[in-house]
Amino acid sequence: MNPVRIEFIRQKMSEMRREDGLDDVNPTRPLDGLDVLDVGCGGGLLCETLARLGGRTLGIDASSSNIAIASLHASADPGLSSPQKTKGSLTYEHTSVEDLLAQRGSKSFDVVCSMEVIEHVDNPATFLTNCATLVKPGGHLFLSTIARTPLSYALTIFAAEQVLRLVTPGTHTHSKYINPDELTDFFLRLDSDAPAQDAVPKQSAAPRPWISRLYGGVPSRTEAEIRGIIYLPWKGEWMLVPRGAPGASIWAEACNYMFWVRRPFK
Ligand SMILES: C[S@@+](CC[C@H](N)C(=O)[O-])C[C@H]1O[C@@H](n2cnc3c(N)ncnc32)[C@H](O)[C@@H]1O
């Protein structure tokens, strides 16, 4: 699944950096010069690619054994860990997003990613708020997760866990899955100016949500985007469903999907 996540991040960052007036975005290094965080990095597969795409990447995980595995794997490529201002680099830290926020403060990263984590946490709204608070103004939040539908139960729990045993039984809880419109709704209500714990509350500021409005039920592609990812068994690989594919919200976003949202500049 990693290649399709990367394809989406690469496409979206290249598109948005061009939108911001950077005409010479290198398509192979769209994260050049950016501070990038991967929350719940697991074994670090995504982090390594984020660093190779130019990001000064920090991978964090609440599990110390996952950080040990990720660090060991990254050590096979010494170029990844050399901290340089102008090139991508990779460091890992055993910490939770809650503790990182307390330690670094809000608005610390240009790009925050969290892949396949939110459907495992006990309080997704708090987790999401913490991830979002770490994003700088004008920065980007990328998530991948699973929609709560009969199809996702059939594929990710019945087939993958109970029949084929590709995933340890009990890994997923269907009621914790989150639908794309629930994420959209969250960011329609999340006030970008809401004071973080470390800030002095402003008087009478008008709320500025991350997503300002919907157009025919979907956000503008400069504010947020949902893209389904589907497994093609005959090819043995995952595919990022093309933008605007007919009926995508019904068939392509009913199981695994990517979600991107941008924090307003001010
Ligand atoms: C299903 S794994 C996903 C790993 C990786 N992102 C991937 O897609 O392969 C979820 C990971 O999130 C981590 N995690 C859960 N809650 C966390 C939190 N609040 N802060 C940091 N990591 C967390 C877990 O330790 C676990 O390694």
Side-chain angles (χ1 to χ4, degrees), residues 12-224:
K12 202 69 215 180
M13 289 305 298
S14 300
E15 178 191 2
M16 296 319 295
R17 295 196 87 180
R18 276 195 301 274
E19 192 103 3
D20 290 348
L22 281 174
D23 292 331
D24 56 348
V25 184
N26 180 343
T28 64
R29 295 178 64 86
L31 302 178
D32 260 344
L34 300 181
D35 291 311
V36 179
L37 172 69
D38 184 16
V39 176
C41 63
L45 269 186
L46 184 82
C47 285
E48 293 191 9
T49 319
L50 294 172
R52 291 189 183 106
L53 293 179
R56 287 184 297 266
T57 306
L58 171 65
I60 64 163
D61 202 288
S63 151
S64 59
S65 56
N66 281 348
I67 290 296
I69 292 166
S71 303
L72 183 66
H73 194 270
S75 66
D77 181 352
L80 284 175
S81 54
S82 55
Q84 296 177 44
K85 280 217 155 52
T86 51
K87 271 183 71 183
S89 62
L90 175 57
T91 49
Y92 287 112
E93 203 175 315
H94 168 219
T95 189
S96 66
V97 69
E98 299 78 18
D99 288 349
L100 187 80
L101 179 58
Q103 178 200 325
R104 298 268 183 122
S106 60
K107 305 176 184 170
S108 296
F109 293 90
D110 300 289
V111 178
V112 174
C113 303
S114 189
M115 304 290 151
E116 313 296 318
V117 182
I118 193 169
E119 68 273 21
H120 295 281
V121 304
D122 289 334
N123 191 332
T126 303
F127 176 81
L128 210 45
T129 304
N130 288 336
C131 290
T133 304
L134 281 160
V135 178
K136 293 180 188 175
H140 309 261
L141 176 63
F142 287 91
L143 305 170
S144 77
T145 190
I146 308 174
R148 194 175 60 263
T149 61
L151 180 69
S152 69
Y153 181 84
L155 294 179
T156 66
I157 296 178
F158 181 69
E161 291 188 11
Q162 297 169 2
V163 178
L164 302 171
R165 305 259 161 173
L166 298 171
V167 179
T168 310
T171 298
H172 294 111
T173 306
H174 192 250
S175 59
K176 286 180 143 184
Y177 289 179
I178 297 178
N179 291 334
D181 61 339
E182 292 168 329
L183 284 180
T184 303
D185 195 48
F186 182 88
F187 286 98
L188 274 163
R189 288 181 289 107
L190 185 68
D191 180 3
S192 181
D193 288 332
Q197 284 154 347
D198 57 352
V200 178
K202 277 192 236 155
Q203 298 278 311
S204 69
R208 179 182 293 273
W210 285 45
I211 299 175
S212 55
R213 55 167 295 197
L214 302 182
Y215 301 82
V218 293
S220 128
R221 65 162 180 79
T222 58
E223 290 188 340

